[in-house]
Amino acid sequence: ITTLNLHLKNERNQKIHRIENLNRLTALEELSLSHNAISKIENLHYLTNLRTLNLSENSIRRLENLNVLHNLETLNVSGNLIERIPISMWKLSKLRTFRIARNKLSVLRDIENLKPMKNLTNLNAQGNPFSELPQYRDFIVFHLVCVEVIDGDNVSLEDRTRAGERFARYELEYLQQELDKQKAEMSSLQTSLTSAETAKKDLEIQIQKFEGTNKDLTSARKRIEEELEIKSQLLNRKTKELMKNFERLYELEQEVAFYKIDYGLLSNFQFNSSAIRSEEH
């Protein structure tokens, strides 16, 4: 079996409440479970050949457990109760069509989680709270450069020009703010790290002072050693946090640099276009 349609639009039919018993259908390429009463995406890890998945008109609240569907090209989750687009969506690298209309999406910046999906050409997110925002379409056009159709309408060159003019400077300012925030957090972590190192050295000095003293100091030494262990664990944790922040800082600096380059190219293109028009007149 390569196609399975369990679409139950008729209200008299008994609704499906769980995704299950699919473990033997490993050759399945198309699966429709629309118009049921499913509340969770689960038990799809056997369907590694799946190309089309229709879970529209259910009661799903989260996009989850989709990472194993590496061959998925079309995903329809319209008409559910989904509130966020998770960053893990990038793992669906072959996805070309994504329908998530009529849900409860309100965070427009979640659209950025789809940026790594270079094969995504068709997106439908109309009927969500964020689709009422005036910048909704331009925001998608600017961030998802591979998308050619949004809510059924083709993306034109004029759409891309307008979106670039509207969001290039804004995005650069936003990234700069994030970069400054990250630097401040790193500075705070470095201060904490220095304090932890100093406290550790002080405890080591205290232990050395107690070396060779009488047995009455054994309990005090044990207490100090326990404190030293706690400080060491704190130091290790702060060091890991600092390294993660260094990596994030590097990524932000790279992204700011790219946006500066893109914005510069956009400005030059607009200037050259204006100059050419002037010469023609």
Side-chain angles (χ1 to χ4, degrees):
I1 298 176
T2 59
T3 301
L4 180 61
N5 188 350
L6 296 176
H7 169 111
L8 297 179
K9 192 172 183 179
N10 192 330
E11 294 295 334
R12 291 176 297 178
N13 293 332
Q14 185 176 357
K15 300 290 186 180
I16 297 172
H17 292 265
R18 288 195 64 191
I19 302 174
E20 56 186 352
N21 301 322
L22 299 173
N23 53 304
R24 295 185 179 181
L25 303 178
T26 55
L28 204 61
E29 295 182 2
E30 296 183 18
L31 173 62
S32 177
L33 290 164
S34 62
H35 292 273
N36 280 288
I38 297 168
S39 60
K40 182 177 181 179
I41 301 175
E42 58 184 343
N43 299 322
L44 296 174
H45 50 282
Y46 299 101
L47 311 182
T48 55
N49 292 307
L50 203 64
R51 297 182 182 277
T52 300
L53 177 60
N54 186 352
L55 294 172
S56 61
E57 310 305 331
N58 278 281
S59 301
I60 297 168
R61 295 183 177 275
R62 295 178 58 188
L63 287 172
E64 57 185 340
N65 300 320
L66 293 168
N67 301 346
V68 296
L69 304 180
H70 302 299
N71 291 306
L72 196 66
E73 296 178 358
T74 300
L75 175 61
N76 188 350
V77 289
S78 294
N80 279 282
L81 304 172
I82 300 167
E83 297 181 355
R84 302 297 299 268
I85 298 175
I87 195 171
S88 59
M89 286 294 294
W90 69 268
K91 294 182 179 180
L92 300 179
S93 59
K94 293 185 178 181
L95 196 69
R96 298 179 60 83
T97 299
F98 183 31
R99 296 187 176 92
I100 192 168
R102 304 185 315 281
N103 276 275
K104 295 182 178 296
L105 301 176
S106 58
V107 182
L108 187 56
R109 278 208 167 268
D110 279 359
I111 291 294
E112 294 185 61
N113 293 334
L114 304 177
K115 287 173 71 172
M117 303 170 70
K118 302 304 181 184
N119 289 310
L120 185 64
T121 58
N122 192 325
L123 175 67
N124 190 332
Q126 62 187 339
N128 284 286
F130 67 23
S131 64
E132 301 299 321
L133 298 173
Q135 69 271 31
Y136 161 73
R137 183 177 174 85
D138 285 348
F139 189 88
I140 296 176
V141 171
F142 179 77
H143 285 284
L144 304 184
V145 295
C146 295
V147 170
E148 300 171 358
V149 181
I150 299 174
D151 299 343
D153 295 324
N154 291 331
V155 178
S156 65
L157 180 59
E158 289 76 12
D159 289 334
R160 297 200 184 281
T161 301
R162 183 181 64 252
E165 291 173 348
R166 183 173 191 175
F167 284 104
R169 183 179 295 277
Y170 167 79
E171 193 65 19
L172 184 59
E173 291 174 354
Y174 172 79
L175 287 171
Q176 190 64 54
Q177 291 173 359
E178 287 294 303
L179 184 60
D180 293 341
K181 180 181 177 181
Q182 199 68 24
K183 286 180 177 179
E185 291 179 358
M186 285 184 62
S187 178
S188 176
L189 277 172
Q190 285 177 324
T191 300
S192 299
L193 185 60
T194 301
S195 299
E197 288 175 341
T198 301
K200 180 180 178 181
K201 289 180 180 179
D202 290 341
L203 287 170
E204 289 174 343
I205 292 172
Q206 290 184 48
I207 289 177
Q208 290 175 359
K209 288 181 179 179
F210 284 121
E211 289 290 344
T213 57
N214 58 50
K215 296 180 179 180
D216 293 336
L217 296 176
T218 300
S219 60
R221 177 179 177 178
K222 183 178 180 181
R223 175 180 55 80
I224 292 174
E225 287 178 340
E226 290 174 349
E227 291 180 6
L228 177 60
E229 178 63 24
I230 293 172
K231 294 292 184 181
S232 296
Q233 293 176 0
L234 175 62
L235 179 60
N236 290 335
R237 187 166 64 251
K238 293 291 184 181
T239 301
K240 291 179 180 179
E241 291 178 6
L242 183 61
M243 292 304 296
K244 288 181 179 179
N245 277 275
F246 268 123
E247 293 176 0
R248 177 59 180 156
L249 177 61
Y250 175 76
E251 292 174 357
L252 283 171
E253 287 177 337
Q254 291 296 312
E255 195 164 353
V256 167
F258 284 131
Y259 269 108
K260 286 182 178 178
I261 293 172
D262 291 342
Y263 183 68
L265 290 174
L266 177 61
S267 299
N268 290 334
F269 172 75
Q270 294 170 346
F271 175 78
N272 292 335
S273 298
S274 299
I276 292 171
R277 287 197 294 269
S278 298
E279 291 176 3
E280 291 177 347
H281 290 294

